[in-house]
Amino acid sequence: TGVPREHRAFQYVLAHAVPGDPRHVLHAFDRWCDRREHLSSVGPVKGRIVERLLRERAPWRVLELGTYCGYGTVLLAQALRPGARLYTVAVDPRHVAVAEKVIRLAGFDERTVELVAGPSEEVIPRLRPRHGLAAADFVFMDHGKRCYLRDLRLLEGHGLLATGATIVADNVLFPGAPHFLQYAKTCGKYRCRVHRASLEY
């Protein structure tokens, strides 16, 4: 058709999801991915782990690296405590266009979710001066696996991790982020736990 699969998925979600209902938007994405085409979103199984951790920690400031189509963003946003804010970073302009529509379709405005476009290594140093993120209490990494360690160090170097911050990184075993895992386990700054799960869908 010449239409990217991310746009095909959005058209399905737009036709089948209830606007302003984040759970229904996620469910529509899940139906599409189960029955039509695979999208590399976090998915419902791993999503429940992320959502549980987010509700347990109840952070005020959440940072997502790797917006893609907005599935993970909606998952995070609907689990936020009242008054909390989510910053999400997307590098691909085509994905930014889809994610923006998905986030707003789910009912989240810019006061709750700020979508920041650009490569993470360029965006992270600007998060405080340009976007007002003093420090993140919760970070969800689901972007390029080779970027995990670099971006964790950038967050550390720019003082963007609050004391006691939680960092959740997807797909660290497959396709894998071995250098990130080794650093997190051996640098002495973090307590690590691996959550076993299957690939999405």
Side-chain angles (χ1 to χ4, degrees), residues 42 45-55 75-76 138 140 168:
V42 66
V45 176
K46 291 186 290 185
R48 282 191 289 273
I49 298 172
V50 176
E51 185 178 352
R52 176 175 54 80
L53 292 169
L54 189 66
R55 292 193 187 279
L75 178 83
L76 293 166
F138 191 102
F140 180 49
V168 180

Side-chain angles (χ1 to χ4, degrees), residues 174-193:
F174 181 83
H179 299 298
F180 168 85
L181 269 183
Q182 182 182 21
Y183 176 78
K185 289 178 178 179
T186 62
C187 71
K189 301 175 184 177
Y190 305 102
R191 290 178 295 170
C192 296
R193 178 180 176 189

Side-chain angles (χ1 to χ4, degrees), residues 16 27 45 64 74 78-79 83 91 97 102 115 118 124 132 144-145 149 152 183 187 191 197:
H16 293 86
H27 185 58
V45 176
E64 178 188 28
V74 171
Q78 56 90 33
V91 63
V102 169
L115 176 58
I124 288 172
K145 312 316 161 198
L149 178 56
L152 177 59
Y183 176 78
C187 71
R191 290 178 295 170

Side-chain angles (χ1 to χ4, degrees), residues 18-88:
V18 176
D21 187 334
R23 292 255 179 223
H24 209 265
V25 168
L26 295 176
H27 185 58
F29 261 116
D30 292 335
R31 285 201 309 270
W32 173 268
C33 293
D34 278 331
R35 303 173 186 177
R36 305 289 180 88
E37 295 179 281
H38 177 269
L39 293 176
S40 57
S41 302
V42 66
V45 176
K46 291 186 290 185
R48 282 191 289 273
I49 298 172
V50 176
E51 185 178 352
R52 176 175 54 80
L53 292 169
L54 189 66
R55 292 193 187 279
E56 287 175 359
R57 303 304 191 270
W60 287 109
R61 295 153 306 212
V62 178
L63 173 64
E64 178 188 28
L65 298 176
T67 313
Y68 191 40
C69 292
Y71 182 104
T73 311
V74 171
L75 178 83
L76 293 166
Q78 56 90 33
L80 290 176
R81 65 195 298 183
R85 186 164 170 77
L86 168 61
Y87 301 81
T88 184

Side-chain angles (χ1 to χ4, degrees), residues 1-13 32 37:
T1 65
V3 178
R5 63 179 171 174
E6 294 83 8
H7 290 267
R8 292 195 294 270
F10 172 70
Q11 290 303 319
Y12 178 87
V13 171
W32 173 268
E37 295 179 281

